[in-house]
Amino acid sequence: MDDKLKKYEYYPDDPKKLELKWVLHVLRDMRLFYIFMIPVWIFWGSYAIAVFSIWFYGSDVIRTKEDVTGIIVSEIVSVVLLFVIIGFIKLINVILKNRDYRPAILRNIRKYIPEVTESIFENVQEDLKKGMPYLKDHNLGISENYIFGNLNLNTFNPVIIPRAEIVDVGYEIYEGASTTIPVNGHVVNARNIYQNFHFRLRNGNSIPVQVNDKWKSGLALTAIQNAGLRTVDVHNKTGK
């Protein structure tokens, strides 16, 4: 086992902890959601600082009992808003975590392996009880008999691939055009790293899986190779 893969091993003592819904939730890329929440946190933080700092820096405006009452009410509102924001984030996570992706997964698998039946989910869950040598957020999941991935880059469209059907894996990892984004009052060029994997099957079909992990661009490839699958660079046709 490659040392850098050890932190992504999952072998829970309780088999129920490693369920398909949880695995899919880990693979989902939630970064856009959390980015959209940044303005909400900025608004709440500014409001809370303004309200609580009045006691220290705005004593000249605290003149009557009504002023004190108004400040206390504003502080209560800020605390309530905090719990509302946290509750909203947890609610979204619970909804997404419990969403049933089995129909979509089955539909995606049958595009490439038409004979697959719904019994695959029982087999997958039984396989997950043995643990997973690799599972990383917005990346890939690998169990003893299955590969878990996403067909799209920025939207969650999961697929499960039986490892017994895989002949080899064509891969391409490259840096695309940079995107200019604002960071801390200035702009920077963010790298667009593309990691495309083509799981080529015994029936001649190829399942395209995309990984959206810009900071560890070679990790998924290392995990696939460590799992014993043959990999081929689609650009120069070299295999490993």
Side-chain angles (χ1 to χ4, degrees):
M1 167 66 71
D2 192 303
D3 288 340
K4 60 186 176 183
L5 298 178
K6 284 187 176 297
K7 65 181 295 185
Y8 304 111
E9 293 178 344
Y10 288 83
Y11 293 100
D13 295 329
D14 181 0
K16 294 181 180 179
K17 289 183 179 179
L18 201 53
E19 295 185 346
L20 178 59
K21 286 184 179 180
W22 182 80
V23 170
L24 295 176
H25 191 61
V26 172
L27 293 178
R28 173 188 289 277
D29 192 344
M30 296 286 290
R31 287 176 295 185
L32 282 179
F33 171 72
Y34 291 119
I35 289 174
F36 289 145
M37 289 299 298
I38 290 176
V40 176
W41 283 115
I42 291 175
F43 168 78
W44 176 84
S46 301
Y47 178 75
I49 290 173
V51 169
F52 284 94
S53 63
I54 290 178
W55 297 111
F56 304 98
Y57 304 105
S59 57
D60 55 323
V61 302
I62 307 175
R63 298 174 180 173
T64 65
K65 183 181 295 186
E66 287 76 15
D67 293 335
V68 173
T69 301
I71 294 171
I72 293 175
V73 170
S74 297
E75 291 175 346
I76 293 174
V77 169
S78 70
V79 173
V80 171
L81 283 175
L82 173 63
F83 283 103
V84 168
I85 294 171
I86 294 174
F88 174 73
I89 293 173
K90 287 185 176 296
L91 177 63
I92 294 297
N93 274 279
V94 168
I95 291 174
L96 293 177
K97 185 175 181 180
N98 289 286
R99 184 172 177 180
D100 187 4
Y101 280 100
R102 288 177 298 177
I105 292 172
L106 191 61
R107 185 168 59 250
N108 288 336
I109 299 174
R110 283 176 171 171
K111 290 179 183 177
Y112 306 97
I113 312 175
E115 63 273 17
V116 167
T117 66
E118 291 188 10
S119 63
I120 187 175
F121 297 112
E122 296 179 9
N123 298 333
V124 166
Q125 190 56 60
E126 197 63 30
D127 200 50
L128 290 176
K129 291 180 181 180
K130 306 170 189 175
M132 299 181 72
Y134 183 75
L135 176 63
K136 187 179 185 306
D137 52 337
H138 48 82
N139 197 290
L140 279 177
I142 300 176
S143 67
E144 182 176 308
N145 294 300
Y146 296 94
I147 301 290
F148 304 77
N150 188 17
L151 295 178
N152 300 343
L153 188 61
N154 295 315
T155 57
F156 193 52
N157 192 19
V159 67
I160 299 175
I161 311 170
R163 286 178 56 173
E165 299 296 325
I166 300 172
V167 175
D168 60 27
V169 185
Y171 69 91
E172 51 181 347
I173 302 174
Y174 60 93
E175 183 174 351
S178 296
T179 300
T180 301
I181 59 174
V183 176
N184 297 328
H186 60 280
V187 296
V188 298
N189 289 325
R191 299 185 309 160
N192 289 324
I193 304 297
Y194 297 92
Q195 301 146 82
N196 301 323
F197 297 91
H198 307 274
F199 289 84
R200 295 185 278 222
L201 310 177
R202 293 191 300 171
N203 63 11
N205 290 330
S206 179
I207 302 180
V209 171
Q210 294 188 307
V211 169
N212 194 6
D213 194 349
K214 297 180 180 180
W215 309 115
K216 296 185 177 180
S217 58
L219 200 62
L221 176 61
T222 302
I224 290 171
Q225 292 172 341
N226 190 77
L229 295 172
R230 182 175 182 271
T231 57
V232 179
D233 187 331
V234 298
H235 293 295
N236 60 26
K237 306 300 181 184
T238 57
K240 180 176 180 181

